[in-house]
């Protein structure tokens, strides 16, 4: 029954071309175009920069596309992607409230399966958005290198492959975690706008909350900071994966706190949404 619900949600999402475009394609295409335009604009200063570099004996290093792949993977779960995936998440989670179709669907399957199917569709949507962003980012790298007449190489060792996979998986979890707040907001309020703006407001509050908690004497590695700010936990785990010789070692205790925070902010909103949904009267929805 869950498989049937997942297929139905996947079909409905695929037919919603507007949500798919804004959630999957807009940010990658816009970021690539913006990067190329900025590179063209900076090209005007390239001659002066080249003269200064020559006088100092500096030579521009070739662009390593393998290292660029890892660097782009580290930036996947940024604010723009989180914001625009939220459009698809809000459509998925609140669409049936908006169009009053729950009363037609709820008799076809168990309520938990209906919600979990929407979550499964969101997981695929987030994956597609991240892959698209990575592809367009890597398309933009050689274009910008060509603009600046920079040589290109490609090398990727085992450590870099591991870092790439870890960063991609961690970013995927971060996008899903952010979307689970939209799920809880959609179910609790039955509103598409709430599903959009509550996660955005909470994300902004967490961004401002980090320096505020620091001003109150709470250290970044404290339980309070890590549990209240999943974005901080994400950054801790990303730093752990990136590592590097110059990077300070992250204590195991802090890593545990960060994992508990990020996973907790993913699972608890989902469980709360399931509990609320089981008790809702959907006869008029």
């Amino acid at each position: 029954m869950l498989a049937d619900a997942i297929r139905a949600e996947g079909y409905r999402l695929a037919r919603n071309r507007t949500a798919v475009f804004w959630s999957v394609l807009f940010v990658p295409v816009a970021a690539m175009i913006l990067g190329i335009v900025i590179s063209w604009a900076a090209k005007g200063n390239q001659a002066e920069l080249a003269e200064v570099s020559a006088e100092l004996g500096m030579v521009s290093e070739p662009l390593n596309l393998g290292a660029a792949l890892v660097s782009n993977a580290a930036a996947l779960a940024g604010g723009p992607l989180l914001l625009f995936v939220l459009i698809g998440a809000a459509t998925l989670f609140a669409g049936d409230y908006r169009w009053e179709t729950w009363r037609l669907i709820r008799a076809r399957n168990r309520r938990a399966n209906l919600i979990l199917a929407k979550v499964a569709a969101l997981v695929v949507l987030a994956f597609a958005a991240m892959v698209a962003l990575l592809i367009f980012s890597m398309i933009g790298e050689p274009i910008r290198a060509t603009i600046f007449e920079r040589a290109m190489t490609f090398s990727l060792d085992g450590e870099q492959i591991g870092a790439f996979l870890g960063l991609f998986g961690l970013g995927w979890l971060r996008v899903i975690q952010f979307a689970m707040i939209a799920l809880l907001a959609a179910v609790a309020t039955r509103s598409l706008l709430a599903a959009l703006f509550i996660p955005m407001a909470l994300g902004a509050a967490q961004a401002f909350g980090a320096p505020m908690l620091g001003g109150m004497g709470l250290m970044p590695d404290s339980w309070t900071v890590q549990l209240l700010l999943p974005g901080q936990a994400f950054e801790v785990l990303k730093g752990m994966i990136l590592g590097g010789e110059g990077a300070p070692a992250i204590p195991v205790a802090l890593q545990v706190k960060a994992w508990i925070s990020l996973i907790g902010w993913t699972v608890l909103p989902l469980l709360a949404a399931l509990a609320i949904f089981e008790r809702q009267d959907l006869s008029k929805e």
Side-chain angles (χ1 to χ4, degrees):
M1 297 294 284
L2 177 58
D4 293 335
I6 292 174
R7 282 194 294 270
E9 286 297 336
Y11 176 77
R12 294 171 69 190
L13 179 61
R15 297 288 293 178
N16 193 337
R17 295 182 178 88
T18 301
V20 171
F21 169 77
W22 287 106
S23 295
V24 176
L25 292 176
F26 177 76
V27 171
V29 174
M32 184 186 71
I33 294 175
L34 182 61
I36 293 172
V37 170
I38 292 175
S39 296
W40 274 111
K43 178 67 175 177
N45 298 323
Q46 181 69 10
E48 296 179 5
L49 183 62
E51 292 179 3
V52 173
S53 298
E55 292 176 0
L56 296 177
M58 299 171 59
V59 179
S60 178
E61 294 183 358
L63 172 64
N64 186 343
L65 293 176
L69 181 66
V70 177
S71 177
N72 287 327
L76 284 176
L81 187 73
L82 291 176
L83 177 61
F84 282 89
V85 168
L86 202 57
I87 296 174
T91 303
L92 264 172
F93 300 145
D96 288 304
Y97 290 108
R98 180 183 183 187
W99 301 112
E100 299 181 355
T101 50
W102 271 129
R103 57 190 175 85
L104 304 175
I105 299 173
R106 66 185 178 89
R108 302 178 187 176
N109 213 319
R110 294 177 57 241
R111 292 193 178 201
N113 288 344
L114 295 174
I115 291 294
L116 292 175
K118 291 181 179 294
V119 173
L122 182 279
V123 169
V124 175
L125 182 73
F127 182 84
M130 293 180 65
V131 170
L133 182 57
L134 190 63
I135 289 174
F136 279 93
S137 297
M138 293 308 296
I139 291 174
E141 292 288 351
I143 294 176
R144 291 193 293 272
T146 302
I147 292 173
F148 288 107
E149 300 177 357
R150 187 178 178 187
M152 289 178 285
T153 63
F154 184 89
S155 63
L156 199 64
D157 57 27
E159 184 177 348
Q160 288 176 312
I161 293 174
F164 168 77
L165 295 176
L167 290 167
F168 189 94
L170 180 64
W172 194 12
L173 176 60
R174 170 60 172 158
V175 176
I176 295 169
Q177 176 266 308
F178 196 71
M180 288 303 97
I181 301 173
L183 170 62
L184 179 57
V187 173
T189 66
R190 310 186 186 200
S191 168
L192 188 145
L193 290 178
L196 272 172
F197 291 114
I198 289 178
M200 291 168 56
L202 187 58
Q206 291 176 348
F208 288 110
M212 290 178 60
L213 291 175
M216 296 169 59
L218 294 172
M219 300 301 293
D221 60 349
S222 67
W223 275 106
T224 302
V225 172
Q226 291 300 311
L227 292 180
L228 289 179
L229 307 175
Q232 292 287 101
F234 168 72
E235 293 298 331
V236 167
L237 296 173
K238 186 168 73 172
M240 175 195 70
I241 294 173
L242 285 172
E245 295 180 358
I250 298 177
V252 175
L254 179 55
Q255 297 177 32
V256 172
K257 295 174 186 177
W259 278 117
I260 291 175
S261 175
L262 195 58
I263 294 174
W265 276 87
T266 305
V267 175
L268 293 180
L270 173 59
L271 295 179
L274 287 170
I276 294 171
F277 189 66
E278 286 288 347
R279 292 165 174 77
Q280 281 184 335
D281 179 9
L282 301 176
S283 59
K284 297 180 181 180
E285 298 289 353

